[in-house]
Amino acid sequence: MNHFPEAWGRPRDDVYGAYNGAHLASGMPNQHTQSPIVTGTSVVGIKFKDGVVIAADNLASYGSLARFTDVKRLHRFNSKSVLGFGGDVSDMQYLDRLLTSLDIRENYHSADDAALSAKNLHTYLSKVMYKRRSDFNPLWNHILVAGLDTEEKPFLASVDLLGTTFSSPSLATGYGAHLAQPIMRKLVPDEEAAARLGKEEAIQAIKDCMKVLFYRDARSMDRYSIAVITKEGVDLNEDVKLENQSWAFADRIRGYGTQVN
Amino acid sequence: MTSIGTGYDLSNSVFSPDGRNFQVEYAVKAVENGGTAIGIRCKDGVVLALEKLVASKLVKPGANKRIATVDRNMGVVSAGLLPDGRHFVARARDEAASWRRLYKAPIPTAALADRMGSYVQAHTLYSSVRPFGVTAILAGWDSEAEVPVDGQVGYGPASGAGGKKEGATHGGPFLYMIEPSGMYWGYYGAATGKGRQAAKSELEKLNLAAGNLTLEQGVKEAARIIYVAHEDSKDKEFELEMTWVSSLKGPTKGRHEEVPREVREEAEKWAKKSLESNGEEDEEDEEDKMEE
Amino acid sequence: MASIIHMGREDPGYSFSAAPTAASANREHSFYPYVPNPSPLPSNSPRYTDNGGSTLGIAGATFTIMAGDTRSTSGYSINTRYAPKLFLIGGTGTEHKSARIVLSVVGFAADGHALAERLDTIVKMYKYQHGKDMSVAACAQRLSHILYGKRFFPYYVQALLGGIDEKGAGALYSYDPVGSYEREQCKAAGAAASLITPFLDNQVNYKNQYVPGSGSGLDLQARQAVPLPQQHVETLVRDAFSSAVERHIEVGDGLQMMTITVDGIQEVLIPLKQD
């Protein structure tokens, strides 16, 4: 007997020879998403006093290839909520159809366009994502849900491919978590700060984040979608051009190509 | 029609010697006793209206809606047996959802009418079932938007190979009526239930085929027609239930919704007024219309 | 924690080299109908993540204090500064009114949420069916069974369950991810468990402390641990966490503390360093 309890009671190689696994189920082709194929990069979102601002660029990459340049990764669910998808685009499309069917069913009996709040939607999505990861068949996305909760207060939360959920005054997926979050957290370190933040400041912060992400994330693009969700509804613009970029700083930095030696 | 089927009315799957299916004809009788339901196809949308007879004073006013939403852009109203109408709606919802699963797009109104027609007709074939005791009116607005595909994320090339044809249009208002026999037709204006005769003659006066009636006018006319149709059963209380579906630019943005209370009440006021003046003098009624 | 996360990737140290690599198929004598292609389990897709943080529970004579920091992490990133690890179990409605049991979970947060929700449902159903509140002892054993039921795809959490036992004394139970459990006086779990535990050994259980003047060598008498007063325990909890924050990067932001007594549960939120 040795110190590995998991080996106790099993036939030992030196006595019986190596275990012959030939009769075990053979490795069949994978039927599940084992890795994302066509992907979207960061999604960023920030709460302000009357609502939430969320943005994601319009690029879908195929590995390092900028494959599709007019892909809309923000989805308006109803007048109270918008989803921002990072990760696999086909899984995003599946989720979009799933949520469309949910919305249709919810509206059979109600003329109220937003019977489900953003909070309800996030709970539903988190259960879908957790179920799929538990089935070993994850939906390869990291999603931000932005909008208003049941009390019409600003709501921002995330759910990822493992079903992990969290909420914060500002959120960002992918590279945004590293590059955009510090910018946004400076502005809204806590909920109280978010409850004081004005709409224009919030929009400006998101635009600044998109610029930083375009500068430093190689899988990003300079055209993006931005949505502002307030009690008045969803203001979604799907074709915003990144403004006032400047690479002027580059010629003073070694590695950007202008230096000779 | 003789109600003595001489044995040929006992089963669905049996014709009478003179080529009639009595079970279907009895089902039509059930429809003829139901509250009047109508649909008007306007140039920028469709209206559905129902004379909902109040079964009991103990029923909450405005509750128990009878006009159902089937998909985002479609509604169904029916006259006849209530539970049969409910089942019809449940089936229509399933059909619309399965179409979406298969084609990743909303079902065209015509396709849903076809499928529901087949489904209702199938209930006239087998001895194990009875025909639907309802005539249903199906209203829809097929989207005129460029991107109706569910989950579509891009728009493709604007021109050239794979580009879009300039000026091509599609979509629009649709109205179908499906009867217990499974027969269905597309209509400009459809009416069924107890007051269908009066309603039909009123609908004919609207000259709907010309395609000039707007949705706003349609709502008023629909209210008026239900009030006209109610004249024959004046002793009974009723509630007017109305839904509409408009173009994407219209008031419902392509969705099937209940007509807002203020709009409905205004239409009802107008309907009552024109009904009163119609009783006194026809010419006054004409003047009212001119004002509108 | 980390060693179990990497279990799939590391050689667990069998005495033989070729451990079975695929799920075993049904045999001829199988009770179950023949399944031609049991879908192979993906090996490289992640099923778990570690969201960091720490929890702590201390039982007193008439109370139990449960605590946890509110930081949630992914690697070096902070997901959020407020993600509670303490969950009220039972009571009525979503507000858990009149609840007397608290579950704390640390590890994989999604599993933690799923576990808390499941236990909460069970405790509520118990009350609907039997017309009385579930005892902590029963709840504790039920939790063990839930965890053990997912033995081969565990809830990746270290759970603590706190409440008041049937004699009115503070009760605390600790669990491993697959349901092994015991009742304890105090327990730290999660990322900073190894930092907090020796502190608790010293301050709660008086380990390696002896009665002054009791002699030397074998004559030394160990200082007896006694149930501590509530105020004192609260101070210990705060000290434990503010110290852990200094030494562990995954711990910080806020301290959520729940004090369970027969009269109810009091919750406080105390700021911790955000660095």
Side-chain angles (χ1 to χ4, degrees):
Chain A
M1 202 169 281
N2 56 30
H3 292 288
F4 301 110
E6 59 269 55
W8 295 350
R10 298 207 192 203
R12 286 173 54 167
D13 288 359
D14 51 357
V15 178
Y16 298 98
Y19 186 75
N20 181 359
H23 67 285
L24 296 170
S26 61
M28 292 298 291
N30 277 329
Q31 297 188 336
H32 299 327
T33 309
Q34 291 304 301
S35 59
I37 309 297
V38 178
T39 59
T41 183
S42 322
V43 186
V44 293
I46 190 169
K47 282 203 247 185
F48 65 98
K49 66 173 189 282
D50 305 315
V52 192
V53 187
I54 184 173
D57 70 25
N58 293 351
L59 180 68
S61 307
Y62 179 71
S64 57
L65 174 71
R67 181 64 185 83
F68 303 104
T69 54
D70 65 346
V71 168
K72 308 304 174 341
R73 297 193 289 123
L74 295 188
H75 294 250
R76 179 190 183 278
F77 179 69
N78 57 28
S79 64
K80 267 188 198 155
S81 38
V82 169
L83 299 162
F85 288 87
D88 193 88
V89 169
S90 66
D91 285 348
M92 169 180 86
Q93 289 174 310
Y94 165 78
L95 280 167
D96 185 49
R97 291 196 292 268
L98 182 76
L99 293 172
T100 299
S101 73
L102 172 73
D103 181 56
I104 290 169
R105 272 178 283 133
E106 283 299 320
N107 284 296
Y108 282 154
H109 298 290
S110 154
D112 181 9
D113 163 59
L116 291 177
S117 68
K119 194 179 184 191
N120 298 148
L121 179 63
H122 176 258
T123 305
Y124 177 83
L125 259 181
S126 70
K127 306 239 155 171
V128 171
M129 299 298 273
Y130 184 72
K131 168 75 165 59
R132 288 291 293 263
R133 86 99 215 189
S134 299
D135 291 345
F136 301 100
N137 187 195
L139 292 161
W140 218 281
N141 298 103
H142 193 159
I143 305 161
L144 295 191
V145 184
L148 303 174
D149 67 12
T150 327
E151 273 88 52
E152 304 243 294
K153 292 223 168 61
F155 178 86
L156 178 63
S158 102
V159 56
D160 68 7
L161 69 165
L162 296 172
T164 316
T165 56
F166 44 85
S167 176
S168 180
S170 65
L171 285 173
T173 74
Y175 262 101
H178 300 100
L179 300 177
Q181 267 289 43
I183 298 170
M184 294 189 288
R185 278 194 184 146
K186 214 168 224 175
L187 207 61
V188 286
D190 48 34
E191 293 289 344
E192 290 73 40
R196 285 193 302 268
L197 190 71
K199 179 176 163 184
E200 294 311 317
E201 290 165 277
I203 293 173
Q204 193 50 49
I206 289 294
K207 290 190 167 177
D208 291 348
C209 289
M210 292 311 284
K211 195 195 279 186
V212 169
L213 283 167
F214 177 58
Y215 279 147
R216 296 299 176 194
D217 177 3
R219 306 285 169 266
S220 70
M221 206 182 58
D222 58 353
R223 285 194 180 273
Y224 62 96
S225 306
I226 187 166
V228 183
I229 308 102
T230 58
K231 272 182 201 162
E232 279 68 55
V234 174
D235 180 14
L236 173 63
N237 188 344
E238 292 186 318
D239 192 20
V240 184
K241 182 96 177 73
L242 209 64
E243 286 163 355
N244 306 322
Q245 338 158 20
S246 164
W247 293 91
F249 65 88
D251 64 350
R252 277 170 278 121
I253 298 172
R254 187 169 298 277
Y256 273 92
T258 50
Q259 294 92 348
V260 184
N261 49 6
Chain B
M1 191 191 77
T2 168
S3 57
I4 306 160
T6 57
Y8 295 106
D9 63 348
L10 297 177
S11 174
N12 228 340
S13 54
V14 173
F15 271 121
S16 81
D18 48 349
R20 295 159 64 179
N21 184 335
F22 283 111
Q23 281 297 317
V24 169
E25 290 182 22
Y26 299 159
V28 171
K29 281 281 173 211
V31 172
E32 288 170 0
N33 291 325
T36 313
I38 63 162
I40 303 176
R41 180 181 174 277
C42 310
K43 67 175 177 188
D44 52 352
V46 195
V47 199
L48 291 178
L50 172 71
E51 171 206 21
K52 191 165 70 184
L53 297 167
V54 177
S56 159
K57 281 197 190 327
L58 299 174
V59 170
K60 185 184 171 197
N64 302 303
K65 291 279 181 268
R66 287 265 309 273
I67 310 182
T69 302
V70 162
D71 201 323
R72 277 180 177 158
N73 60 326
M74 256 176 261
V76 166
V77 64
S78 60
L81 303 181
L82 225 97
D84 287 29
R86 287 257 164 79
H87 178 71
F88 182 94
V89 166
R91 177 68 186 202
R93 285 171 176 169
D94 286 353
E95 290 289 354
S98 85
W99 181 284
R100 275 195 123 104
R101 268 196 294 281
L102 188 59
Y103 298 107
K104 317 300 181 203
I107 188 169
T109 314
L112 184 62
D114 179 72
R115 287 188 171 201
M116 292 314 294
S118 300
Y119 185 64
V120 170
Q121 193 272 154
H123 283 73
T124 68
L125 298 174
Y126 306 99
S127 55
S128 55
V129 292
R130 62 169 172 77
F132 274 80
V134 290
T135 288
I137 300 173
L138 174 68
W141 178 275
D142 291 358
S143 177
E144 73 275 36
E146 262 189 33
V147 199
V149 177
D150 294 354
Q152 184 169 320
V153 289
Y155 295 104
S159 58
K164 289 164 192 95
K165 195 180 162 193
E166 295 256 333
T169 57
H170 57 270
F174 290 91
L175 182 69
Y176 287 88
M177 185 160 78
I178 302 144
E179 293 174 32
S181 62
M183 186 185 76
Y184 72 94
W185 273 332
Y187 291 87
Y188 290 117
T192 181
K194 200 170 241 167
R196 68 197 172 287
Q197 294 300 357
K200 272 187 211 168
S201 64
E202 291 297 322
L203 284 167
E204 281 166 18
K205 286 182 203 161
L206 294 177
N207 191 215
L208 293 164
N212 294 323
L213 194 75
T214 65
L215 190 58
E216 275 71 22
Q217 288 170 312
V219 167
K220 288 184 177 175
E221 294 294 350
R224 188 179 63 79
I225 292 170
I226 290 295
Y227 272 89
V228 170
H230 183 67
E231 291 288 291
D232 297 334
S233 44
K234 244 184 166 171
D235 50 320
K236 282 184 192 142
E237 293 265 314
F238 86 103
E239 265 176 33
L240 174 65
E241 196 178 319
M242 280 204 291
T243 64
W244 59 358
V245 52
S246 78
S247 70
L248 288 175
K249 286 181 208 138
T252 78
K253 299 183 180 66
R255 297 174 79 105
H256 173 255
E257 288 171 1
E258 197 182 332
V259 175
R261 199 164 61 89
E262 316 82 66
V263 181
R264 195 199 67 221
E265 280 170 358
E266 197 193 326
E268 275 186 278
K269 224 164 78 185
W270 181 83
K272 283 176 190 162
K273 203 177 124 201
S274 66
L275 221 65
E276 282 162 17
S277 56
N278 200 25
E280 293 157 18
E281 218 172 329
D282 270 4
E283 282 157 32
E284 230 172 276
D285 188 34
E286 292 296 315
E287 273 176 20
D288 271 348
K289 272 187 188 168
M290 299 281 275
E291 277 171 23
E292 290 300 320
Chain C
M1 220 51 198
S3 67
I4 314 183
I5 286 181
H6 297 298
M7 197 166 74
R9 275 170 258 162
E10 283 170 18
D11 186 0
Y14 291 118
S15 64
F16 46 92
S17 53
T21 53
S24 131
N26 291 316
R27 306 296 150 76
E28 289 298 281
H29 58 265
S30 172
F31 175 79
Y32 302 98
Y34 173 69
V35 182
N37 267 327
S39 76
L41 297 184
S43 51
N44 56 348
S45 76
R47 272 160 272 166
Y48 297 111
T49 190
D50 188 348
N51 297 109
S54 254
T55 56
L56 166 60
I58 301 176
T62 57
F63 65 92
T64 301
I65 291 187
M66 304 284 288
D69 70 316
T70 64
R71 177 174 288 183
S72 164
T73 62
S74 296
Y76 290 129
S77 296
I78 295 172
N79 291 330
T80 174
R81 299 195 191 280
Y82 185 68
K85 291 179 188 68
L86 266 46
F87 300 93
L88 294 173
I89 299 297
T92 43
T94 48
E95 309 286 305
H96 304 274
K97 284 205 178 85
S98 81
R100 291 290 181 280
I101 298 174
V102 173
L103 173 73
S104 77
V105 278
V106 63
F108 175 38
D111 274 350
H113 283 122
L115 182 64
E117 200 165 303
R118 225 175 122 182
L119 188 65
D120 181 49
T121 308
I122 285 165
V123 171
K124 280 178 171 143
M125 289 297 289
Y126 181 97
K127 182 151 194 201
Y128 301 148
Q129 285 169 347
H130 299 100
K132 61 180 180 187
D133 286 318
M134 200 177 200
S135 67
V136 237
C139 184
Q141 189 165 63
R142 193 67 177 81
L143 177 56
S144 166
H145 289 150
I146 295 169
L147 290 165
Y148 192 80
K150 256 170 76 73
R151 177 77 172 72
F152 298 106
F153 184 20
Y155 285 117
Y156 218 88
V157 290
Q158 273 184 284
L160 301 178
L161 191 76
I164 301 294
D165 73 10
E166 278 150 325
K167 288 177 183 149
L172 177 71
Y173 295 84
S174 74
Y175 298 79
D176 81 350
V178 287
S180 178
Y181 82 116
E182 72 179 309
R183 186 171 170 177
E184 293 185 274
Q185 210 56 42
C186 70
K187 180 79 177 181
S194 58
L195 277 65
I196 297 173
T197 304
F199 172 73
L200 297 176
D201 285 345
N202 185 255
Q203 292 292 311
V204 179
N205 294 318
Y206 299 144
K207 288 281 162 67
N208 297 306
Q209 294 188 49
Y210 299 94
V211 178
S214 60
S216 62
L218 291 172
D219 291 337
L220 270 175
Q221 280 189 306
R223 185 181 170 193
Q224 287 301 310
V226 287
L228 301 168
Q230 194 174 319
Q231 279 290 318
H232 186 68
V233 173
E234 276 173 21
T235 313
L236 286 180
V237 170
R238 285 163 186 259
D239 288 352
F241 274 92
S242 44
S243 306
V245 167
E246 295 293 331
R247 291 291 182 173
H248 201 116
I249 57 166
E250 291 175 0
V251 183
D253 294 334
L255 172 62
Q256 184 192 21
M257 195 155 76
M258 286 187 178
T259 308
I260 312 154
T261 62
V262 278
D263 303 320
I265 298 174
Q266 275 205 313
E267 183 182 358
V268 284
L269 199 65
I270 301 151
L272 291 175
K273 283 166 86 168
Q274 300 194 333
D275 59 2

